[in-house]
Amino acid sequence: MKLFAIFGDPVAHSRSPLMHNSVFKNLNYKACYTRVHLQDGSKLRETFFALKLSGANITVPHKEAAYTACDEVRGFAKKVGVVNTIVNENGKLIGYNTDADGFMFAIKEFGAMKNILVLGAGGTAKALCTKFIDAGIKVTVLNRTALRLAYFKELGCSCFTWDDFIIGNYDLVVNTTSAGLKEEILPCPLELAEKILAKTSFAADAIYGKETPFLKLSKSKEITCKDGADMLLGQGVLANELFINYELKTEDIKKFMSKSFEL
Ligand code: NDP
């Protein structure tokens, strides 16, 4: 029996255990997926080994700590320095990032994007912005502080804090901050959020499982929007394939993960 887990703080809200266990149970794969509340990201590696895990997902706020916890980081995760999936490969921790592809899957229905505003400058923002720039999309990043903006400037994004923001026109605004996850707060001051929402066609939130104040405000302005559920599904399917080394069919994984959303 293989054991998998999600590490995060908070982590109680995470749907990942339901999603992955739905796949394992329905496809008779001998594995189980649990959640671990981890406050200190520097303890990730030792906790992973103490629990004898075969793999893990990493959520807020440990995705950058997860990068340093790995013995080797592959593909897109290496480029962005952000890991959301770890696989135990013969005692070595191998890191991947499936969030960005999960998000691209989620926004397909909005059509082609030319101009995206990203709220937040954390691990998820890094992954998404890098993917957008790679896809030739013009990206603006708005964060409450300037501390984490250097990466985004280097990447070629236009970067602002709340104090120096120069607004533009956007196809999509994405909330990648954790504002709205635990507390009922907007990712930026109300006045700014209202101005931004007047300049966008679509809005998306990485947070799932609840209507955040950001989504509520978007809906009140009659903007087509979506929460992070499809992103979660997209990243989860890709992570599951890595966990079990592609032993199950993608369509079957997707089918049973989607079913878990009905629970
Ligand atoms: P990080 O901790 O790496 O980054 C958080 C970001 O949010 C930082 O830019 C931080 O700003 C900003 N922030 C935090 N609190 C506030 C606040 N009160 N007001 C304004 N900005 C704030 O988190 P992650 O990037 O790992 O995750 C971000 C969110 O995305 C989480 O809610 C997570 O659940 C969600 N997520 C969902 C996924 C899905 O599959 N649907 C996948 C990945 C993430 P500062 O730099 O100033 O501290």
Side-chain angles (χ1 to χ4, degrees):
M1 173 75 89
K2 289 180 182 170
L3 182 63
F4 299 93
I6 179 154
F7 290 91
D9 177 27
V11 76
H13 70 285
S14 174
R15 285 193 150 262
S16 291
L18 269 178
M19 288 160 52
H20 289 275
N21 284 328
S22 172
V23 173
F24 296 147
K25 190 171 160 231
N26 285 289
L27 296 172
N28 293 318
Y29 193 89
K30 289 203 177 341
C32 183
Y33 189 113
T34 186
R35 54 168 70 84
V36 179
H37 183 204
L38 185 78
Q39 283 169 307
D40 181 355
S42 69
K43 299 259 167 34
L44 177 60
R45 190 179 165 91
E46 63 182 77
T47 313
F48 185 104
F49 284 120
L51 293 172
K52 298 189 169 51
L53 296 177
S54 297
N57 284 124
I58 322 298
T59 188
V60 61
H62 301 313
K63 290 183 192 191
E64 285 161 280
Y67 179 88
T68 46
C70 289
D71 295 293
E72 185 188 333
V73 177
R74 292 187 186 151
F76 184 71
K78 197 170 175 179
K79 188 169 179 182
V80 290
V82 181
V83 162
N84 81 318
T85 303
I86 294 179
V87 178
N88 184 344
E89 213 177 87
N90 306 316
K92 292 224 180 312
L93 300 193
I94 314 295
Y96 299 89
N97 186 298
T98 67
D99 280 336
D101 281 331
F103 189 78
M104 294 312 264
F105 158 79
I107 59 164
K108 246 188 200 160
E109 67 192 67
F110 291 159
M113 296 283 138
K114 285 195 189 126
N115 213 321
I116 297 183
L117 172 65
V118 174
L119 306 178
T124 306
K126 269 190 183 173
L128 299 195
C129 290
T130 308
K131 202 68 175 185
F132 296 156
I133 293 278
D134 285 355
I137 298 167
K138 192 168 172 282
V139 183
T140 305
V141 177
L142 176 62
N143 199 41
R144 63 181 172 181
T145 58
L147 285 173
R148 298 162 96 167
L149 292 178
Y151 174 92
F152 299 89
K153 277 185 193 148
E154 186 99 338
L155 190 64
C157 306
S158 304
C159 297
F160 300 99
T161 64
W162 297 349
D163 297 330
D164 61 10
F165 186 48
I166 301 166
I167 201 161
N169 288 302
Y170 312 103
D171 298 316
L172 171 70
V173 178
V174 194
N175 175 30
T176 73
T177 77
S178 39
L181 181 63
K182 279 195 280 190
E183 296 157 288
E184 292 302 296
I185 49 174
L186 284 165
C188 63
L190 175 64
E191 196 184 76
L192 201 50
E194 289 194 320
K195 280 186 188 155
I196 289 166
L197 290 171
K199 296 275 195 178
T200 188
S201 307
F202 299 99
D205 206 314
I207 297 171
Y208 61 87
K210 66 178 283 197
E211 195 169 73
T212 59
F214 174 70
L215 283 187
K216 272 189 198 135
L217 188 64
S218 306
K219 277 190 184 165
S220 76
K221 309 279 176 202
E222 296 183 352
I223 293 168
T224 305
C225 54
K226 70 189 306 182
D227 73 358
D230 282 346
M231 176 185 184
L232 180 74
L233 176 65
Q235 64 77 32
V237 170
L238 296 169
N240 194 281
E241 290 186 306
L242 290 165
F243 287 154
I244 61 174
N245 203 14
Y246 302 90
E247 280 176 51
L248 299 170
K249 283 193 199 136
T250 309
E251 275 319 300
D252 290 340
I253 296 172
K254 202 168 166 185
K255 179 173 142 194
F256 290 112
M257 273 200 181
S258 304
K259 274 203 162 172
S260 76
F261 281 75
E262 294 159 18
L263 297 174

